[in-house]
């Protein structure tokens, strides 16, 4: 685990991640570049990769999407709209049991990922309107 210096660029990148909604590395780069046109894509990708490796952020692997990043590191699931791609955090009371599992079928469990797919409220309204025509 390689520790990074706490540079102004790193603070800007991780600060932007706090307000972004599960962006890809490229999406986050584009957001940060609007505030600092001199920041390089390599810097953003490196900070994200090292921060995920250090456990400071999550690298999220959702079916059908590019890798995304999440500032919320507590155990939780994700839901993705199959129509617009929007991704949200999900937490339900029973998830504590799943994410707290230490052993399954003889395997020692290190991590768990759970994602749901569905239709977000905005797309549901658009779909209902288009079906009513």
């Amino acid at each position: 685990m390689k520790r990074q210096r706490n540079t102004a660029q790193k603070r800007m990148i991780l600060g932007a991640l706090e307000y972004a909604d599960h962006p890809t590395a490229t999406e986050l780069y584009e957001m940060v570049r609007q505030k600092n046109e001199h920041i390089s894509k390599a810097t953003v990708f490196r900070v994200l990769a090292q921060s995920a490796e250090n456990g400071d952020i999550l690298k999220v692997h959702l079916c059908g999407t590019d890798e995304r990043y999440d500032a919320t590191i507590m155990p939780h699931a994700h839901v993705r709209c199959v129509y617009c791609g929007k991704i949200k955090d999900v937490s339900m009371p029973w998830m504590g049991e799943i994410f707290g599992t230490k052993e399954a079928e003889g395997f020692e469990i290190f991590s768990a990922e759970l994602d749901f797919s569905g239709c977000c409220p905005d797309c549901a309204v658009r779909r209902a309107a288009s079906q009513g025509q």
Side-chain angles (χ1 to χ4, degrees):
M1 190 178 337
K2 182 179 178 185
R3 282 284 161 204
Q4 299 169 280
R5 295 182 330 208
N6 192 18
T7 65
Q9 289 182 329
K10 178 183 175 185
R11 287 190 303 274
M12 179 185 295
I13 293 164
L14 296 181
L17 180 60
E18 296 254 348
Y19 294 100
D21 203 9
H22 304 87
T24 64
T26 300
E27 290 169 345
L28 194 62
Y29 163 71
E30 291 167 359
M31 289 172 53
V32 172
R33 187 151 167 84
Q34 291 177 5
K35 294 182 181 187
N36 179 351
E37 64 185 31
H38 301 292
I39 198 161
S40 73
K41 196 172 199 178
T43 297
V44 173
F45 279 60
R46 184 178 55 255
V47 166
L48 290 172
Q50 289 176 344
S51 295
E53 184 179 317
N54 292 342
D56 298 328
I57 64 173
L58 292 180
K59 185 186 289 189
V60 179
H61 311 274
L62 297 173
C63 184
T65 69
D66 293 334
E67 288 181 338
R68 297 177 173 274
Y69 293 87
D70 192 347
T72 304
I73 58 174
M74 66 175 215
H76 65 284
H78 295 95
V79 62
R80 178 181 60 86
C81 179
V82 297
Y83 298 101
C84 70
K86 183 185 300 183
I87 298 169
K88 293 294 198 181
D89 290 340
V90 175
S91 185
M92 297 175 188
W94 52 267
M95 285 185 189
E97 293 177 35
I98 293 172
F99 289 118
T101 301
K102 303 274 189 267
E103 181 273 333
E105 299 296 324
F107 283 77
E108 181 182 356
I109 304 299
F110 300 127
S111 67
E113 294 182 25
L114 178 63
D115 62 289
F116 301 94
S117 21
C119 182
C120 74
D122 293 337
C123 289
V125 168
R126 282 193 290 275
R127 289 185 71 219
S130 70
Q131 290 173 355
Q133 293 180 355

